[in-house]
């Protein structure tokens, strides 16, 4: 029966020998994915990823399906006089596509109850405007362009989402970040390389994997702006070490004297298991994100898991063909290693072994407390990074001078305008509520005494519509007959009351049907009022619901804001038996804040559990997973204690995502050192643990430096070069977290391995072969030529250096030391049963 090594060897041979076919398949796949990249839809609204049972998500779904939300903008004009600002405001009213422009005018009765300082203070003017149509229409886009052109000669700040395209801005940022990252990563790869030809192999392999991942995102239908912007950068940082592992394996086999094909097959057969195992820890962090209540975690987790899978497939199936293609260049461009030895650092770690672990424990305890009490931001527009967009600059500049507040929407059951009017009255009596807009307070026509939902008599309607009272009575009579409301004739048509908007709708429909003959002036007045009603209705009333829009003064998040929202919700709900919804940025922040603690707990537990299980079976030890996990978890707590110490609030999603990535990805660095330590432990006597630590660090430094430096650099580049504060927070936290993990792995971990060394064997559940006893232990087995069967742990030379568990037959010059197990000499030419079976 074939063992696993033979199975892996046959699989590797199949891949290498059919490399041209795999090259063709990957070329076709890359072309296909390049075409499909444009099909990926990007979602910028994080509220779409809220759990479906949250009030904000349900309310947003209703508003999206039943209401129109016209565009709006705020313009701050700095260093300007009041008279100049008033001229600008009146000029903006003439721009096509602008519905209303609001700025204090002492000659306009609309502002008689307003204060000048709400519009003009400290030589700065605040102009607010609304658009005729939704944000994404051609008319609104042209209007905002005209607005910007109109105020460009002033010291102006335009705050609007009408022409805000976060996806386009992020694409520009990502392209710039990638161009910088490529140069930096090339420098790192060249510095740590053994042959210059490996660098293009790495980059081609990664580019292929990135295109495959990017081009298949369409299978999810829609991906978040976070996943769409950081997937390629994180894929590069998280998975490029797979290619490094593969290539280094190949070079080792070549150095052992194997020909390129045989070396590639042997390297691939060994790397498949090694890389697959390494990827499991990284993927475990991504899988933990999938279980978040906030579904943006699932979105990012699936995209990154897919990126890791494509990176592995590219390394296993595509990279061997590249290596064979470049095999001559690989040999021609070999050079000495630029990576220095860090023996001196190892000696420092040994000398400080009694101090640093104690400091680490103390710092970790305090870091845990600080990270758990840190202040987190839940509104993405409140988060800030080193680089600001014009949108954020305008928002900050306006907030410095004026208290603009936040918009809220109350969604109510449709039909009861009296209740809506009562709610509006209750809202206006609250000091923390600013402007309120609803059908029940939209003034009709030029008359400021009536609103659209008022029920008026024929005489009052004649005043509103500027028509003859006799004509108004006739219209009321026709309306009552059409609706079969005969009680109107019993009480008298003069006292019959009809809501203004219902009557206008009726008259307009009859006019359009040719039932009424109105004069040109009357027809125009009716059209104007009907257009006003329709503009208000599509924004404030649907077939099933009414909407009240209000401005909530103060900050978008915080306990005070959440308390005010609860007060508004309780008040509005008291008028209805059916459920009402309060929706806006404050409610979204409150919902996210509510799910944060649960998501944080789920991610922490699942990530630690998944990684711990993988480590448990990787090392077959109970103590080693604990040592590795506490090292990386300590670096995570320290990483997120820093924002608390510096009083820098962090966007909550950056914390959740980086926690899982930092644990899943940087645990690999701990695995590298631990693997090296355990391997060397079989060679060096247990009493020489100091040498174990020094050599483990020295031999692991190049691998950790390559992978860790790339992830750190990518994190800091994203953190400092992107204009999106959410992505910036995440990148900065990832860069700092990776750097801290490297520091912990290169300092604390070797010291912990040193102290826990005496219990490593006792805590291992690996089945061991019996130790040799007496004079047999350490027996030197030498044979100039011939055949020897060895079953045990060996070290020595046999056409190259051997160390580790070995079971098989050796034939040749033998000079090894048997530490445990047994051996048997065979006469020259004699075959074992295994040899015969193989033959």
């Amino acid at each position: 029966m074939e063992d696993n090594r033979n199975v892996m060897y046959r699989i590797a041979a199949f891949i290498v020998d059919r490399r041209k076919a795999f090259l063709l398949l990957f070329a076709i796949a890359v072309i296909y994915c390049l075409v499909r990249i444009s099909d990926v839809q990007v979602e910028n609204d994080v509220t779409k990823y809220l759990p479906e049972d949250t009030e904000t998500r349900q309310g947003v779904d209703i508003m999206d399906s039943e209401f129109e939300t016209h565009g709006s903008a705020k313009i701050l004009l700095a260093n300007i006089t009041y008279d100049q600002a008033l001229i600008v405001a009146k000029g903006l009213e003439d721009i096509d596509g602008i519905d209303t422009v609001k700025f204090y005018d002492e000659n306009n009765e609309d502002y008689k109850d307003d204060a000048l300082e709400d519009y003009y203070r400290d030589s700065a003017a605040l102009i607010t405007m609304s658009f005729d149509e939704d944000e994404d229409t051609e008319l609104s886009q042209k209007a905002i362009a005209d607005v910007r052109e109109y105020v460009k000669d002033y010291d102006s700040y335009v705050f609007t989402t009408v022409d805000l395209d976060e996806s386009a801005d992020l694409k520009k940022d990502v392209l710039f970040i990638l161009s910088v990252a490529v140069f930096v990563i090339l420098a790192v790869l060249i510095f740590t390389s053994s042959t210059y030809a490996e660098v293009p192999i790495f980059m081609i392999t990664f580019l292929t994997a990135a295109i495959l991942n990017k081009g298949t995102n369409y299978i999810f239908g829609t991906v978040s702006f976070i996943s769409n912007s950081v997937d390629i950068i994180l894929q590069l940082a998280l998975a490029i070490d797979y290619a490094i592992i593969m290539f280094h394996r190949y070079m080792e086999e070549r150095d052992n004297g194997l020909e390129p094909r045989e070396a590639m097959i042997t390297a691939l057969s060994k790397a498949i298991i090694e890389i697959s195992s390494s990827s499991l820890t990284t993927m475990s962090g991504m899988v933990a994100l999938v279980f978040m209540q906030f579904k943006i975690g699932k979105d990012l987790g699936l995209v990154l898991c897919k990126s890791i899978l494509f990176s592995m497939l590219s390394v296993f199936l595509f990279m061997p063909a590249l290596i064979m293609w470049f095999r001559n260049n690989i040999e021609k461009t070999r050079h000495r290693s630029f990576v220095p030895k860090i023996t001196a650092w190892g000696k420092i770690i040994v000398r400080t072994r009694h101090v640093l672990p104690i400091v680490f424990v103390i710092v970790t305890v305090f870091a845990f407390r600080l990270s758990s009490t840190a202040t987190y931001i839940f509104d993405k527009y409140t988060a800030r990074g080193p680089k600001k967009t014009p949108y954020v600059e305008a928002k900050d500049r306006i907030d410095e001078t004026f208290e603009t507040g936040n918009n809220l929407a109350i969604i109510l059951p449709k039909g009861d305008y009296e209740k809506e009017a009562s709610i509006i009255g209750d809202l206006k009596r609250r000091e923390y509520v600013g402007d309120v807009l609803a059908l029940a307070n939209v003034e009709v026509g030029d008359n400021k005494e009536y609103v659209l939902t008022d029920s008026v008599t024929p005489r009052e309607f004649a005043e509103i519509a500027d028509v003859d009272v006799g004509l108004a009575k006739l219209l009321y009579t026709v309306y009552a007959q059409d609706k079969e409301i005969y009680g109107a004739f019993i009480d008298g048509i003069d006292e019959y009351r009809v809501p203004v908007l219902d009557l206008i709708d009726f008259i307009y429909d009859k006019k359009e049907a040719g039932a009424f003959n109105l004069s040109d002036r009357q027809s125009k007045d009716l059209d104007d009022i009907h257009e006003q009603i329709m503009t208000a209705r599509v924004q404030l009333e649907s077939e099933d619901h009414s909407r009240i829009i209000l401005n909530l003064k103060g900050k978008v998040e915080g306990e005070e804001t959440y308390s005010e929202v609860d007060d508004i919700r309780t008040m509005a709900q008291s008028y209805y038996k059916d459920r009402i919804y309060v929706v806006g940025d404050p409610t979204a922040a409150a919902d996210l804040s509510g799910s944060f603690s649960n998501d944080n707990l789920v991610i922490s537990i699942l990530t630690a559990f998944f990684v711990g299980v993988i480590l448990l079976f990787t090392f077959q030890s109970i103590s080693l997973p604990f040592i590795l996990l506490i090292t990386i978890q300590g670096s995570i707590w320290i990483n997120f204690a820093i924002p608390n110490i510096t009083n820098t609030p962090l966007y909550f999603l950056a914390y959740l995502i980086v926690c899982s990535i930092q644990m899943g990805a940087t645990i690999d660095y701990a695995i590298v050192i631990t693997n090296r330590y355990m391997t060397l432990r079989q060679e060096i006597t247990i009493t020489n643990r100091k040498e174990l630590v020094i050599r483990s660090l020295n031999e692991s430094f190049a691998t950790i430096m390559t992978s860790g430096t790339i992830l750190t650099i990518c994190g800091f580049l994203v953190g400092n070069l992107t204009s999106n504060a959410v992505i910036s927070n995440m990148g900065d936290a990832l860069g700092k977290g990776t750097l801290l993990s490297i520091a912990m792995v290169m300092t604390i971990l070797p010291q912990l391995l040193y102290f826990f060394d005496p219990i490593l064997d006792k805590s291992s559940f690996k089945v061991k072969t019996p130790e040799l006893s007496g004079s047999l232990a350490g027996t030197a087995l030498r044979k100039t030529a011939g055949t020897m069967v060895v079953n045990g742990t060996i070290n020595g030379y046999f056409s190259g250096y051997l160390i580790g568990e070995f079971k098989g037959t050796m034939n040749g010059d033998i000079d090894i030391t048997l530490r445990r197990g047994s051996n048997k000499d065979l006469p020259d030419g004699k075959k074992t049963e295994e040899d015969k079976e193989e033959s």
Side-chain angles (χ1 to χ4, degrees), residues 3 152 185 233 288 306 309 322 344 398 478 510 534 585 617 633 730 744:
D3 60 23
K152 70 176 184 179
I185 291 169
I233 298 172
K306 181 164 63 68
L309 287 173
L322 288 180
I398 292 173
V478 175
K510 291 297 183 182
M534 292 305 297
D585 289 338
F617 286 98
Q633 187 61 60
M730 190 177 74
M744 295 299 103

Side-chain angles (χ1 to χ4, degrees), residues 6 12-14 74 83 98 114 158 191 197 236 246 261 330 354 411 434 461 478 526 615 663 831:
N6 286 334
F14 176 83
K74 296 180 187 295
D83 292 332
I98 300 299
D114 294 348
V158 182
F191 181 76
L236 169 61
M246 171 66 78
R261 175 187 173 277
I330 290 172
H354 296 294
I411 302 174
F461 180 75
V478 175
L526 179 63
L615 294 176
M663 173 61 78
K831 292 186 177 180

Side-chain angles (χ1 to χ4, degrees), residues 82-83 103-106 111-122 124-126 402:
Y82 166 77
D83 292 332
F103 182 70
Y104 186 82
D105 184 354
E106 58 186 3
Y111 300 96
K112 64 181 180 180
D113 297 327
D114 294 348
L116 173 62
E117 64 179 9
D118 291 335
Y119 300 87
Y120 183 84
R121 67 173 69 170
D122 300 331
L126 180 63
F402 299 93

Side-chain angles (χ1 to χ4, degrees), residues 81-115:
T81 65
Y82 166 77
D83 292 332
Q84 288 175 319
L86 184 60
I87 293 172
V88 173
K90 291 184 178 299
L92 290 170
E93 292 177 351
D94 298 329
I95 294 177
D96 188 30
I98 300 299
D99 180 27
T100 60
V101 176
K102 191 173 181 181
F103 182 70
Y104 186 82
D105 184 354
E106 58 186 3
N107 298 318
N108 190 329
E109 290 187 1
D110 291 343
Y111 300 96
K112 64 181 180 180
D113 297 327
D114 294 348

Side-chain angles (χ1 to χ4, degrees), residues 58 381 498 681 739 827:
Q58 294 175 358
Y381 294 120
V498 179
R681 194 167 174 268
L739 197 59

Side-chain angles (χ1 to χ4, degrees), residues 190-228:
I190 291 172
F191 181 76
T192 58
S193 67
S194 58
T195 169
Y196 295 118
E198 69 184 74
V199 178
I201 294 175
F202 293 158
M203 299 310 293
I204 294 172
T205 303
F206 167 73
L207 182 62
T208 300
I211 293 173
L212 293 178
N213 185 57
K214 200 80 171 175
T216 53
N217 280 341
Y218 75 90
I219 65 176
F220 300 125
T222 301
V223 297
S224 69
F225 73 97
I226 294 179
S227 300
N228 188 61

Side-chain angles (χ1 to χ4, degrees), residues 432-584:
Y432 55 80
V433 175
D435 295 334
V436 180
L437 176 65
L439 280 179
N441 72 341
V442 174
E443 296 172 346
V444 58
D446 296 328
N447 194 309
K448 307 302 181 183
E449 296 182 17
Y450 303 98
V451 295
L452 289 176
T453 57
D454 282 344
S455 294
V456 296
T457 64
R459 184 173 296 278
E460 291 169 337
F461 180 75
E463 182 183 349
I464 294 170
D466 193 20
V467 297
D468 182 73
V469 175
L471 177 59
K473 290 181 180 180
L474 177 61
L475 293 173
Y476 269 61
T477 301
V478 175
Y479 178 87
Q481 290 176 339
D482 187 79
K483 303 297 182 182
E484 299 181 354
I485 307 175
Y486 302 113
F489 302 107
I490 297 173
D491 298 332
I493 203 70
D494 287 341
E495 300 302 320
Y496 180 40
R497 289 182 176 274
V498 179
V500 174
L501 55 84
D502 289 345
L503 188 62
I504 292 295
D505 283 342
F506 173 75
I507 298 172
Y508 182 83
D509 290 341
K510 291 297 183 182
K511 179 184 80 79
E512 292 296 296
F516 291 152
N517 291 319
L518 302 176
S519 67
D520 291 341
R521 183 185 64 81
Q522 291 172 335
S523 180
K524 182 179 183 304
D525 290 344
L526 179 63
D527 289 344
D528 289 343
I529 296 176
H530 185 263
E531 183 180 355
Q532 180 187 13
I533 291 175
M534 292 305 297
T535 300
R537 178 167 274 164
V538 295
Q539 298 181 77
L540 302 172
E541 187 178 63
S542 68
E543 290 186 4
D544 300 315
H545 297 92
S546 293
R547 180 166 69 163
I548 298 175
I549 299 174
L550 61 111
N551 181 266
L552 188 68
K553 298 177 182 178
K555 297 180 180 179
V556 71
E557 57 183 289
E559 292 305 319
E560 183 178 355
T561 302
Y562 300 154
S563 176
E564 293 168 353
V565 172
D566 288 340
D567 177 47
I568 291 173
R569 182 186 296 106
T570 302
M571 178 272 295
Q573 186 67 71
S574 68
Y575 287 92
Y576 294 91
K577 293 182 179 179
D578 296 331
R579 183 179 179 183
I580 64 100
Y581 302 88
V582 180
V583 182

Side-chain angles (χ1 to χ4, degrees), residues 70 106 138 155 157 179 182 185 211 255 286 309 317 392 452 508 523 529 653 673 753 787:
H70 289 188
E106 58 186 3
E138 184 178 349
D155 187 4
Y157 300 85
S179 62
V182 165
I185 291 169
I211 293 173
D255 291 340
M286 307 303 104
L309 287 173
L317 304 177
V392 173
L452 289 176
Y508 182 83
S523 180
I529 296 176
L653 196 57
I673 283 190
L753 290 172
T787 302

